[in-house]
């Protein structure tokens, strides 16, 4: 569960994270970064793609400035995985809701 999110700061199970992050039921990767700062390509999330999950949630930043490339959207559509793309504040709400019932992964840009 994500306890809180504000610009540049996320709290998960009492631990504070200040860099972009990928989380799932068994992983917290706080060293996650993208090839191009404000664009998300499939290559940027390939480390998690071999995992089994039903929902993938992308937080595009506090102001929603990170853009998700079409190849990412097409990949999840072909796999039949629910993809949710929202600003990070809304994405956190979706993550907390879905992670209670479904195997869920979240990739969150914490600033911009």
């Amino acid at each position: 569960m994500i306890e809180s999110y504000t610009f540049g700061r996320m709290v998960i199970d009492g631990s504070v994270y200040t860099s972009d992050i990928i989380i799932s039921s068994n992983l917290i990767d706080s060293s996650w970064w993208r090839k191009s700062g404000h664009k998300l390509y499939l290559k940027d999330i390939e480390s998690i793609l071999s995992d089994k999950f039903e929902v993938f949630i992308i937080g595009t930043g506090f102001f929603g400035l990170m853009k998700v490339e079409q190849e990412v959207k097409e990949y999840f559509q072909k796999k039949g995985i629910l993809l949710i793309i929202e600003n990070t504040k809304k994405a956190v709400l979706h993550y907390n809701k879905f992670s209670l019932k479904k195997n869920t992964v979240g990739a969150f840009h914490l600033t911009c």
Side-chain angles (χ1 to χ4, degrees), residues 68-85:
V68 179
E69 294 299 307
Q70 189 63 32
E71 66 180 4
V72 175
K73 298 172 187 177
E74 290 171 0
Y75 175 86
F76 288 107
Q77 184 178 20
K78 287 178 186 173
K79 293 288 185 179
I81 297 170
L82 176 60
L83 175 64
I84 298 172
I85 303 168

Side-chain angles (χ1 to χ4, degrees), residues 10 21-23 32 34 39-42 44-45 48-49 53 55-61 64 66-69 71-73 76 82-92 94-95 104-110:
M10 186 175 280
I21 190 167
I22 292 180
I23 60 175
W32 176 60
R34 292 157 314 284
K39 291 185 180 180
L40 179 67
Y41 294 93
L42 199 56
D44 299 321
I45 54 173
I48 197 84
L49 296 180
F53 53 90
V55 181
F56 195 87
I57 298 172
I58 299 172
T60 59
M66 186 179 77
K67 303 301 177 207
V68 179
E69 294 299 307
E71 66 180 4
V72 175
K73 298 172 187 177
F76 288 107
L82 176 60
L83 175 64
I84 298 172
I85 303 168
E86 292 280 2
N87 70 56
T88 300
K89 188 173 182 177
K90 289 180 183 176
V92 164
H94 287 297
Y95 181 85
T104 303
V105 173
F108 301 98
H109 179 46
L110 299 189

Side-chain angles (χ1 to χ4, degrees), residues 8 10-12 15-24 26-34 47-48 106-110:
M10 186 175 280
V11 179
I12 304 169
S15 296
V16 176
Y17 298 92
T18 57
S19 61
D20 292 359
I21 190 167
I22 292 180
I23 60 175
S24 68
N26 61 351
L27 167 82
I28 296 179
D29 180 0
S30 61
S31 64
W32 176 60
W33 194 246
R34 292 157 314 284
S47 65
I48 197 84
F108 301 98
H109 179 46
L110 299 189

